[in-house]
Amino acid sequence: MAEAARSVSARANRGLPYEIVIWEILVRLPPKALLRCRAVCRAWHHATSAHDFLLAHHAHQPVLPVAFSRDVGYPSIVTFDHRAADAQLQRVTRLENRVCGLYYSCDGLLLLCSHDTTGTYFCICNPATRQSARLPIVSGYVILGMYRHHPTGEYRVLMYLENQEINGKDACYIFTLGSVQVQPPRNIGWQPEAKEVYCSSGQPVLLRGSLHCPSEQREIGSNNIVVFDTSTELFRQMRAPVAPVAPRYNALFEMDRVLGMYICSDGVTIIDIWMLLDYENEVWTFKCKIALPVTEINMMCGMLEGSRYAVVVPGNGELLVLVKFAGWLLQVDMDGKLVATFHRKEVFPTQLQLKQTLVPHAFFQH
């Protein structure tokens, strides 16, 4: 058996040095293909299971926009691969609970909210390895964000608890994933800016060791961003670009280590893109205005008018605009041209992105 394995390995590596095969070819494969390659021989299985290899493999994976699908009974996590010659939707994993919502994404991990006969609960999952773990967080907490705490390498969840009888006041909490002994969420006290994050519908963006979340613009000139420093565990506010009129909604994104914001007009016909090129002085620069091809979209979908929802996410060095309208998911480029269409009634774009990983985590082993 050992001789046969060495023979297979020799044929597989014929003409190529072992290091090239491992660190230039296998390290670039998608997770599913890499897992299949482990069956070729013991040498490949050993090399591709090492921690340093898995970190390098994760670094080579593309960052793809995430959509949430309900068109096949059980909900699914879907990625939009715009790099292919023909843009395509790819189902990453199907969720086991019909009542499930997608909250956050971090380093290939997804934070989900589900419901069963015991009530509402949160769970963490890795769609590449199909591992999941239920979080011991009691009902009543509102999750504001998930992040990797770089000084310790821990994955943490920032939570908010409204006025409850147990303590008589609002408070913020930190829950650490994968503690050796499961500890209750740690109370970091009450900070008024947390209420702004709680009321916001936008996804937080992790940049420079801080979570950034847009606050709701109640009047012209009042637009701000709430920032949570993951090291000091303190909130603060920073300036955001101000829309000339109250927007339908706005959201943040990060591209090339620069914070950006897109502002959708009422009716979602115009999207303004701003970039925070001077972070320290909080100076925003207007990047572009995208006019959605509303007439073309309406005609293609066979509708005169309807509710539109758009998200702007980075992808391969460029910004992607994904629009949900009627039973269609549409991609629009920065010039406002329709470049890809998918007739998927129950597929909804999100602000989340997924960079798949096979790196093991201790919290999946409890």
Side-chain angles (χ1 to χ4, degrees):
M1 180 65 70
E3 184 64 31
R6 285 193 293 270
S7 177
V8 172
S9 178
R11 290 197 301 271
N13 293 326
R14 185 173 297 166
L16 287 175
Y18 178 79
E19 293 295 322
I20 296 295
V21 172
I22 300 298
W23 294 102
E24 295 297 334
I25 299 177
L26 298 186
V27 76
R28 301 176 189 275
L29 293 179
K32 289 184 179 180
L34 179 63
L35 293 175
R36 289 195 294 266
C37 285
R38 285 181 176 177
V40 171
C41 64
R42 291 181 180 178
W44 281 19
H45 188 281
H46 177 75
T48 60
S49 300
H51 189 71
D52 58 345
F53 175 88
L54 294 176
L55 290 175
H57 176 261
H58 173 58
H60 280 90
Q61 297 308 297
V63 181
L64 300 178
V66 172
F68 192 70
S69 171
R70 292 187 180 274
D71 62 349
V72 288
Y74 284 89
S76 299
I77 304 300
V78 178
T79 56
F80 174 66
D81 192 351
H82 58 283
R83 304 166 304 150
D86 295 323
Q88 52 190 275
L89 296 175
Q90 299 176 340
R91 190 174 75 176
V92 177
T93 187
R94 192 183 76 167
L95 305 178
E96 297 180 355
N97 195 323
R98 289 183 182 271
V99 183
C100 190
L102 175 61
Y103 270 46
Y104 300 104
S105 175
C106 180
D107 291 348
L109 304 174
L110 299 178
L111 183 61
L112 308 171
C113 179
S114 297
H115 186 84
D116 60 15
T117 55
T118 64
T120 301
Y121 65 92
F122 298 99
C123 63
I124 191 81
C125 80
N126 182 342
T129 61
R130 298 184 180 181
Q131 293 174 300
S132 65
R134 188 163 174 165
L135 304 185
I137 300 176
V138 299
S139 177
Y141 288 99
V142 176
I143 295 183
L144 304 182
M146 182 175 71
Y147 59 92
R148 183 174 183 268
H149 185 243
H150 284 283
T152 62
E154 298 172 341
Y155 287 91
R156 297 181 176 181
V157 180
L158 174 64
M159 301 182 299
Y160 170 76
L161 186 63
E162 288 190 281
N163 191 345
Q164 302 288 324
E165 294 181 0
I166 57 174
N167 57 22
K169 61 181 180 180
D170 296 354
C172 292
Y173 293 80
I174 299 292
F175 177 76
T176 300
L177 301 180
S179 301
V180 176
Q181 293 182 345
V182 178
Q183 300 291 334
R186 175 168 51 88
N187 189 332
I188 62 172
W190 165 244
Q191 300 178 54
E193 294 88 351
K195 191 76 171 184
E196 296 289 330
V197 181
Y198 167 64
C199 295
S200 172
S201 59
Q203 291 285 339
V205 172
L206 182 62
L207 180 68
R208 297 184 176 218
S210 296
L211 290 174
H212 300 72
C213 188
S215 60
E216 183 181 358
Q217 181 173 327
R218 298 181 179 87
E219 58 186 24
I220 303 302
S222 68
N223 209 12
N224 286 308
I225 293 172
V226 178
V227 183
F228 176 74
D229 189 312
T230 61
S231 295
T232 64
E233 297 184 343
L234 296 175
F235 287 88
R236 64 181 176 90
Q237 290 194 354
M238 65 186 301
R239 287 194 299 269
V242 179
V245 296
R248 176 74 173 274
Y249 58 87
N250 54 26
L252 299 172
F253 62 88
E254 177 266 325
M255 186 170 72
D256 299 330
R257 304 296 299 165
V258 176
L259 188 66
M261 172 179 277
Y262 65 92
I263 303 175
C264 294
S265 66
D266 190 25
V268 193
T269 59
I270 302 293
I271 302 175
D272 289 338
I273 307 293
W274 293 79
M275 303 300 295
L276 185 58
L277 299 181
D278 188 344
Y279 185 92
E280 287 74 15
N281 295 310
E282 301 180 9
V283 178
W284 290 83
T285 301
F286 181 74
K287 180 177 177 63
C288 65
K289 183 183 296 290
I290 305 173
L292 298 183
V294 175
T295 302
E296 182 181 359
I297 290 175
N298 290 346
M299 291 180 61
M300 186 196 71
C301 298
M303 299 180 66
L304 295 178
E305 195 52 71
S307 177
R308 283 177 296 275
Y309 175 71
V311 299
V312 177
V313 290
N316 198 27
E318 60 181 336
L319 291 177
L320 306 176
V321 181
L322 300 178
V323 182
K324 176 65 178 177
F325 180 71
W328 295 79
L329 180 63
L330 317 164
Q331 182 194 356
V332 177
D333 66 15
M334 299 298 288
D335 295 323
K337 296 180 180 178
L338 196 60
V339 295
T341 61
F342 304 91
H343 194 190
R344 299 288 185 88
K345 184 177 180 180
E346 298 295 330
V347 175
F348 302 91
T350 74
Q351 296 169 236
L352 301 177
Q353 297 172 282
L354 182 65
K355 184 182 178 72
Q356 293 196 74
T357 181
L358 295 175
V359 176
H361 295 286
F363 43 78
F364 289 129
Q365 300 172 9
H366 293 299

